Amino acid sequence: MNEESFEPSLLGTKNYWDGTYQTELENFESHGEEGEIWFGEKVQKEVVDYVVKNVLDKSLKIMDIGCGNGMLLILLAHNGFESLVGFDYSENAVKLAKNVAQRQSFHQKVNFFSADFLSEGFAYVCDIALDKGTFDAISLTPPESPEQSRRIYLESYKRNLIRSLKSKPTADVDFHFIVTSCNWTGEELCKFFQPEFQHKESIQRKSFSFGGSSGQTYSTVVFKLVHC
């Protein structure tokens, strides 16, 4: 899918996610259900496994952009990572993530808070940023302009990662963010984020064929910041 193919969707609105996480929060409180894993547990595990394999310093700051129920970071906490922060612009998502972390006894190891990554005032710094579906949601933002939202999003990535790297120039890490999408192919993600970010590698999955074309249901691309 190319940029011109994206149609505005409720999935790109805060109201949709507030309502979704309100329902999941109520389900957690009444039945203990932790909520939906966006893109499924297998994709989530692949991202976690990649980080565990490639990041030896578990004190590095890892940030989840659009944390949802928080399980991505909670799994990293299970693997010994110590500096984890996740945020979501839906306060209901943040409440759910905090509740799930507390039930699993990781509420003191993972910091969840409410914030809008597209805000000019966003200033949190990190060594590694993870995105599992948030870029997709922003790509579906209704008018005024999805294109403008994607541009602001990219600038936010650059601003925050550059600031983080300048504050910790000796950090032992050879990649800076991992983005997973069900709307964008790996090639399209590379085209969008370059030249500021360099494609390091992609997480390979079983491909499918349809109508003479082949592809993957989800694309996960690992990037390194080029200029800092």
Side-chain angles (χ1 to χ4, degrees):
M1 181 179 292
N2 57 43
E3 293 181 24
E4 291 75 17
S5 301
F6 290 118
E7 293 291 337
S9 167
L10 288 176
L11 292 172
T13 67
K14 186 174 184 297
N15 285 341
Y16 174 86
W17 295 110
D18 283 341
T20 295
Y21 285 112
Q22 177 62 41
T23 299
E24 294 199 349
L25 186 60
E26 292 170 357
N27 289 337
F28 178 87
E29 293 172 347
S30 59
H31 304 295
E33 297 178 1
E34 296 175 347
E36 180 180 359
I37 303 297
W38 200 240
F39 297 162
E41 293 184 2
K42 184 176 185 295
V43 170
Q44 178 173 262
K45 184 178 185 300
E46 289 170 342
V47 174
V48 170
D49 288 348
Y50 184 92
V51 175
V52 171
K53 179 181 178 180
N54 291 279
V55 180
L56 300 181
D57 183 357
K58 295 190 175 182
S59 68
L60 292 181
K61 294 182 180 179
I62 300 179
M63 177 173 69
D64 186 8
I65 301 169
C67 63
N69 67 357
M71 281 304 302
L72 182 59
L73 293 181
I74 292 171
L75 288 178
L76 288 173
H78 273 286
N79 282 276
F81 288 88
E82 304 166 355
S83 184
L84 303 168
V85 60
F87 65 89
D88 204 290
Y89 72 169
S90 171
E91 293 184 2
N92 291 332
V94 174
K95 291 177 183 177
L96 176 62
K98 288 181 176 180
N99 287 344
V100 173
Q102 183 168 12
R103 187 170 73 174
Q104 298 198 22
S105 300
F106 285 107
H107 55 288
Q108 294 182 334
K109 295 188 177 182
V110 187
N111 177 30
F112 294 110
F113 64 95
S114 178
D116 183 356
F117 195 54
L118 300 185
S119 169
E120 289 292 332
F122 187 91
Y124 189 84
V125 297
C126 66
D127 296 300
I128 297 169
L130 307 176
D131 180 323
K132 187 164 62 67
T134 299
F135 188 61
D136 281 0
I138 292 172
S139 300
L140 300 174
T141 302
E144 299 156 355
S145 171
E147 176 64 27
Q148 181 184 23
S149 292
R150 289 194 289 269
R151 185 171 63 251
I152 293 173
Y153 183 73
L154 178 57
E155 292 302 320
S156 297
Y157 255 127
K158 287 192 295 183
R159 180 181 66 245
N160 294 318
L161 287 176
I162 289 171
R163 184 183 296 125
S164 175
L165 291 173
K166 286 182 177 179
S167 68
K168 293 187 64 178
T170 60
D172 183 19
V173 59
D174 62 356
F175 69 93
H176 298 107
F177 80 98
I178 305 175
V179 56
T180 301
S181 170
C182 67
N183 289 336
W184 299 69
T185 66
E187 291 79 6
E188 289 166 347
L189 288 169
C190 289
K191 180 180 179 181
F192 184 84
F193 284 106
Q194 290 171 344
E196 292 84 3
F197 294 93
Q198 178 183 7
H199 175 228
K200 182 176 183 294
E201 60 183 308
S202 299
I203 295 179
Q204 299 300 317
R205 301 186 176 93
K206 183 181 296 185
S207 62
F208 65 89
S209 297
F210 180 78
S213 299
S214 62
Q216 298 179 348
T217 305
Y218 305 105
S219 300
T220 299
V221 184
V222 182
F223 289 101
K224 180 179 178 66
L225 182 66
V226 175
H227 302 295
C228 60

